[in-house]
Amino acid sequence: MNAPVRDVSAGRNAVILPIEGMSCASCVGRVEKALKAVPGVESASVNLATERAEVTAEAPIAYGALVAAVEDAGYAVPSTRTEIAIEGMTCASCVARVERALAAVPGVAAARVNLATERATIEGSVDTALLVKAIEDAGYDARVVAAGSPDAAAVARKEAETAGLKRDLTVAALLSAPIVVLEMGSHLVPAIHELIMQTIGMQTNWYLQFVLTTLVLFVPGRRFYTKGLPALARFAPDMSSLVAVGTLAAYLYSLVATFASQILPPGTVNVYYEAAAVIVTLILLGRFLEARAKGRTSEAIKRLVGLQPRIAHVRRGDSLVDLDISKVVAGDVVEVRPGERVPIDGDVLEGGSYIDESMITGEPIPVAKAAGSTVVGGTVNQKGALSVRATAIGDATVLAQIIRMVEEAQGSKLPIQALVDRVTMWFVPAVMAVAAATFAVWLIFGPDPALTFAVVNAVAVLIIACPCAMGLATPMSIMVGTGRGAELGVLFRK
């Protein structure tokens, strides 16, 4: 598939785009004339043999305008399919925000973002650099990956993320435990309250809670503030924004009660350090369980990828060379030894053997292969040796297409998920508005101490309203189902 390419060198902006429908030199001239008429275009060169056009300009070129010019001339720019790995999404509102940013890019026909796989699939005639920029402008990190390919960097990143969450959760839990004992223990067990009053006193107790809570919020919990507060500043709040605002409200109120209690109304001097610390700990627990579940659901794809041999024994003249599978080209003659997996799809030239094709057909009995037979990459050769001419390599092999099909099924969206994403897009702002209204109502109409009740109830609204479960339920279910099916040999195309 030909994808648009942007080349920027020596102050030159060049866009190379594929064109369909040209049949003669007059077509070339017509397309070149149409492209040169686009404002800002300096030159346009169309190659009939490669069916590509190269357009250059001093300033960046609007890719959508080029596509429109080609289509107005009576030709077509084939739609491309692009996959982009996205980092930083935490809830379904993030999904909706990224989809909206991608849909606004000229040339995008459709954009689907999956929270479970952390990937976006974009269809249309569009420059990939513009897609990445749109996602980054929305506040997330993005990089283009090959469609249907295993993303080793993403796997390593997810493993590191899970390990980091486990570490932060452990630290937060260890620091939060004494806070809960010091604060809630005093309320629940009179003996603990008496012990604290007779030893360190209430003020020192609050000082200890302040130190421990500060560590919880700004060491393991800092991820919520580095993500949530910038999102809030962009007027695009997400789940991290809810956590950040809620915990900071409780923390700052407690800070005033601890160090400047004289400015608070009588009867309202209370601290809520344990609320802020426990909230961060519980949300970290949820994030850790979520990350671990995501890792497990992708194991079926890893197993399928593991069926692909990485090395092939290729004939080069009179010698046999071991090459990485990515360097094998169609037409190469590959030697398959007894007990090895077939690295490519091809036709048998010499030799005879039996091949276990159960991964493709489900048939447990090995199939006889001789000169003229076809073999499929990933299947297991038995006792004989074979010489095979490669007919399909890389993404063109049957196994690669199976992997791609399973990944597409895992990344697909049901209609109910699209509805959920639309709802959650407005969920977080709505929750923050409800929290503000709750604060105002309790402050105006609530019993004394009204300020305390207002803060506590507003924070409660912010924290209990979590759209993560809604956003993850459907994609995680699809991933688990299709992954388990792949393990058992059942593949879902749609």
Side-chain angles (χ1 to χ4, degrees), residues 77-92:
V77 177
S79 178
T80 59
R81 181 187 180 91
T82 306
E83 285 201 11
I84 297 179
I86 304 173
E87 298 179 22
M89 296 190 299
T90 57
C91 61

Side-chain angles (χ1 to χ4, degrees), residues 141-466:
D141 296 326
R143 55 192 171 79
V144 179
V145 294
S149 67
D151 190 354
V155 171
R157 178 179 57 80
K158 287 181 180 179
E159 290 176 351
E161 179 187 0
T162 303
L165 281 167
K166 183 178 181 179
R167 181 192 63 243
D168 288 348
L169 172 61
T170 303
V171 172
L174 291 175
L175 292 173
S176 298
I179 302 172
V180 173
V181 172
L182 288 171
E183 182 62 28
M184 299 308 296
S186 297
H187 293 294
L188 299 176
V189 182
I192 294 179
H193 176 73
E194 293 175 5
L195 179 63
I196 291 173
M197 296 302 293
Q198 292 173 4
T199 53
I200 59 176
M202 187 57 67
Q203 194 65 31
T204 304
N205 173 22
W206 286 2
Y207 290 152
L208 286 174
Q209 290 186 49
F210 158 70
V211 172
L212 292 172
T213 303
T214 302
L215 291 174
V216 171
L217 266 57
F218 301 110
V219 180
R222 70 182 181 278
R223 66 180 69 226
F224 301 114
Y225 307 106
T226 56
K227 290 285 185 183
L229 296 180
L232 193 62
R234 294 193 302 270
F235 298 101
D238 57 10
M239 184 58 204
S240 293
S241 302
L242 290 183
V243 176
V245 172
T247 54
L248 282 177
Y251 177 74
L252 292 176
Y253 184 89
S254 302
L255 210 60
V256 172
T258 303
F259 297 100
S261 59
Q262 67 277 6
I263 68 175
L264 294 176
T268 64
V269 181
N270 298 293
V271 296
Y272 302 97
Y273 290 121
E274 89 288 347
V278 170
I279 285 164
V280 167
T281 303
L282 290 178
I283 299 296
L284 283 173
L285 173 61
R287 293 278 175 89
F288 170 67
L289 295 175
E290 174 187 317
R292 195 168 64 173
K294 285 180 182 178
R296 286 178 176 174
T297 54
S298 62
E299 287 179 0
I301 292 294
K302 293 179 186 176
R303 291 193 184 97
L304 287 174
V305 173
L307 297 177
Q308 295 178 311
R310 304 314 310 162
I311 300 295
H313 315 300
V314 183
R315 285 187 190 173
R316 285 287 188 265
D318 295 330
S319 60
L320 200 62
V321 182
D322 287 350
L323 295 178
D324 187 272
I325 193 65
S326 61
K327 297 181 180 178
V328 179
V329 297
D332 277 344
V333 177
V334 178
E335 298 286 346
V336 183
R337 297 166 182 169
E340 292 183 338
R341 288 190 180 274
V342 180
I344 42 80
D345 293 0
D347 299 324
V348 177
L349 298 179
E350 302 171 3
S353 182
Y354 286 84
I355 289 186
D356 179 0
E357 295 186 336
S358 58
M359 59 158 278
I360 301 294
T361 64
E363 175 58 54
I365 300 175
V367 180
K369 299 293 179 179
S373 301
T374 60
V375 294
V376 177
T379 55
V380 181
N381 185 26
Q382 301 293 301
K383 297 182 178 179
L386 299 172
S387 296
V388 180
R389 184 180 300 280
T391 58
I393 49 94
D395 290 342
T397 62
V398 171
L399 180 58
Q401 292 177 50
I402 290 174
I403 294 172
R404 184 159 56 249
M405 188 169 63
V406 173
E407 286 194 331
E408 288 175 357
Q410 287 189 340
S412 63
K413 278 191 177 182
L414 298 177
I416 186 65
Q417 181 62 20
L419 174 63
V420 167
D421 287 347
R422 284 197 299 272
V423 171
T424 52
M425 178 66 187
W426 301 103
F427 187 90
V428 174
V431 167
M432 301 191 79
V434 171
T438 301
F439 178 84
V441 169
W442 276 93
L443 187 63
I444 298 171
F445 303 106
D448 290 332
L451 180 61
T452 298
F453 284 122
V455 170
V456 171
N457 287 295
V459 171
V461 170
L462 288 171
I463 297 308
I464 65 171
C466 174

Side-chain angles (χ1 to χ4, degrees), residues 15-19 22 31-32 35 44-47 50-55 70:
V15 173
I16 299 174
L17 65 161
I19 299 175
M22 297 187 299
V31 174
E32 286 183 347
L35 290 171
S45 175
V46 179
N47 189 310
T50 60
E51 294 186 313
R52 284 190 169 197
E54 181 175 351
V55 185
V70 173

